[in-house]
Amino acid sequence: MVQYVGVENMVRLIAAIGIEPYLIGLAGYIEEDFRRWSLFEKAPRVASHSADGVIELMPTSDGELYGFKYVNGHPKNTRTGLQTVTAFGVLSDVETGYPRLLSEMTITTALRTAATSAVAARYLAREDAAVMAIIGLGSQSEFQALAFKALNGIRRLQVYDIDPAATAKFRANLAGHGFEIEVASSAEAAVLGADIITTVTADKLKATILSDNMIGAGVHINAVGGDCPGKTELQRDILLRAEVFVEFPEQTRIEGEIQQMEPDFPVTELWRVIVGETKGRRTEDQITIFDSVGFATEDFSALRYLRDQVEGTDYYDEIDLLTEPEDPRNLFGLLSAPAAAPRAVLGAR
């Protein structure tokens, strides 16, 4: 039997732990796995692109566990009442190849993306950073705000979205969470005086969400929305003025903001900063960019954290995903055996 964490149990688990404590715990696992970077198998995600969006597989292994995530990105889905991003993931034992955990990863991806952003900002933003601008108030925006509050102490938000309904949704969802929220009339107004700028728009195109003249000295940019070929948010000139930090360069050069740049454009891998091999922010005036596209090790961390949180609880079900013939060499025998009472496909632990 395989542990299965569906949406209902995931929601119950978050409610029991609290979303901010969950983000803090998840961030610890993400940072721990960045410190173990050399142990992981690493490759750009396998992507199937179409005119409507992308479907991706994101695998990795640390030699003991193997994990992968299936995820899509279809911006037009919201027009027909569907989500832009959905996902599920699997965590398996390398020794046997048996999957041990199957989980929803739509909520989990939003959590791990936000937690990774906040971890990066610990090393890249100024220590006195107090104000964050968020451009794009879609499904990821509340998670970003809460992660930066929980891990970085950010409470003042300056926000902008072209859709008033998205802005209303954002404010309603974060009411009572201790934020001071200013709704700006434009992206330019939102970033004015911000110490951290998060861009997290959804349109699958090259856009100029931030132009060079909008960015002053000392700002940290958390560039989240550029996450596939042909989709960017930052004007190229900003990258030329900043130091750019990435997860896995081979993937980011295909999908991130730096796809606009020459193949040898210099970047720094985030794990090198976390382990102390190199510095993140060097001066108060430096402009730093976390060119975040999401990498498989972060999903691995999220699955590992989830596995540990549900162990010994009732926040998961068990499913008979795997066959269990009495003789492991006689698979056909399962089909030819006398009919037995059907087993429940989904049963309580």
Side-chain angles (χ1 to χ4, degrees), residues 181-314:
I181 300 174
E182 178 182 338
V183 177
S185 59
S186 64
E188 291 85 353
V191 304
L192 192 63
D195 307 305
I196 299 169
I197 301 171
T198 290
T199 58
V200 60
T201 59
D203 283 344
K204 190 180 177 183
L205 48 79
K206 290 187 177 179
T208 303
I209 306 302
L210 297 181
S211 57
D212 188 39
N213 64 340
M214 295 165 65
I215 306 303
V219 168
H220 171 60
I221 300 173
N222 178 37
V224 180
D227 58 3
C228 67
K231 183 175 187 285
T232 58
E233 297 179 315
L234 309 187
Q235 191 175 60
R236 187 178 187 274
D237 289 347
I238 301 174
L239 301 172
L240 295 171
R241 294 171 54 206
E243 184 161 356
V244 179
F245 298 82
V246 302
E247 292 137 315
F248 184 59
E250 290 88 337
Q251 179 171 296
T252 312
R253 292 191 190 279
I254 297 170
E255 302 179 344
E257 295 297 329
I258 59 172
Q259 67 183 277
Q260 305 177 69
M261 313 306 285
E262 292 74 20
D264 61 349
F265 178 76
V267 297
T268 302
E269 293 175 80
L270 182 61
W271 73 269
R272 297 184 185 276
V273 178
I274 290 175
V275 301
E277 186 177 300
T278 188
K279 287 188 176 180
R281 174 168 292 274
R282 292 183 171 85
T283 69
E284 293 295 293
D285 293 337
Q286 182 184 16
I287 297 170
T288 56
I289 298 173
F290 178 42
D291 191 358
S292 169
V293 297
F295 189 61
T297 59
E298 298 152 24
D299 300 309
F300 181 95
S301 305
L303 287 167
R304 196 166 63 84
Y305 179 64
L306 178 60
R307 176 203 62 185
D308 291 349
Q309 297 312 299
V310 302
E311 190 63 36
T313 74
D314 66 350

Side-chain angles (χ1 to χ4, degrees), residues 5-215:
V5 181
V7 174
E8 181 180 353
N9 274 327
M10 190 68 195
V11 170
R12 290 176 60 232
L13 178 66
I14 298 288
I17 295 176
I19 189 167
E20 290 187 41
Y22 195 95
L23 283 162
I24 291 169
L26 173 56
Y29 275 57
I30 290 170
E31 188 164 352
E32 179 184 338
D33 284 341
F34 270 121
R35 293 183 184 277
R36 304 191 304 139
W37 188 257
S38 62
L39 297 179
F40 285 93
E41 295 177 355
K42 296 175 284 291
R45 53 185 151 215
V46 180
S48 175
H49 292 277
S50 70
D52 296 318
V54 63
I55 297 173
E56 300 169 331
L57 291 177
M58 301 174 65
T60 192
S61 172
D62 67 353
E64 294 185 5
L65 295 170
Y66 173 91
F68 79 85
K69 182 175 76 176
Y70 168 103
V71 61
N72 77 296
H74 287 68
K76 74 177 185 66
N77 276 4
T78 54
R79 301 174 203 161
T80 55
L82 300 176
Q83 294 177 97
T84 297
V85 175
T86 62
F88 69 88
V90 174
L91 194 65
S92 301
D93 286 333
V94 168
E95 183 180 2
T96 64
Y98 272 42
R100 295 305 182 194
L101 175 70
L102 170 65
S103 174
E104 81 78 37
M105 288 199 75
T106 308
I107 296 169
T108 299
T109 294
L111 291 163
R112 73 83 160 136
T113 299
T116 302
S117 293
V119 167
R122 281 179 167 177
Y123 295 90
L124 305 180
R126 298 195 320 270
E127 288 188 9
D128 64 350
V131 180
M132 181 164 75
I134 304 178
I135 313 300
L137 301 178
S139 295
Q140 175 63 204
S141 57
E142 295 93 345
F143 294 91
Q144 289 283 328
L146 288 166
F148 273 81
K149 175 175 176 276
L151 278 85
N152 304 82
I154 297 294
R155 292 180 178 271
R156 176 166 171 78
L157 305 174
Q158 299 172 180
V159 303
Y160 175 71
D161 195 288
I162 59 174
D163 181 4
T167 304
K169 178 266 305 179
F170 179 85
R171 296 189 71 172
N173 283 341
L174 292 185
H177 282 277
F179 289 104
E180 178 187 352
I181 300 174
E182 178 182 338
V183 177
S185 59
S186 64
E188 291 85 353
V191 304
L192 192 63
D195 307 305
I196 299 169
I197 301 171
T198 290
T199 58
V200 60
T201 59
D203 283 344
K204 190 180 177 183
L205 48 79
K206 290 187 177 179
T208 303
I209 306 302
L210 297 181
S211 57
D212 188 39
N213 64 340
M214 295 165 65
I215 306 303

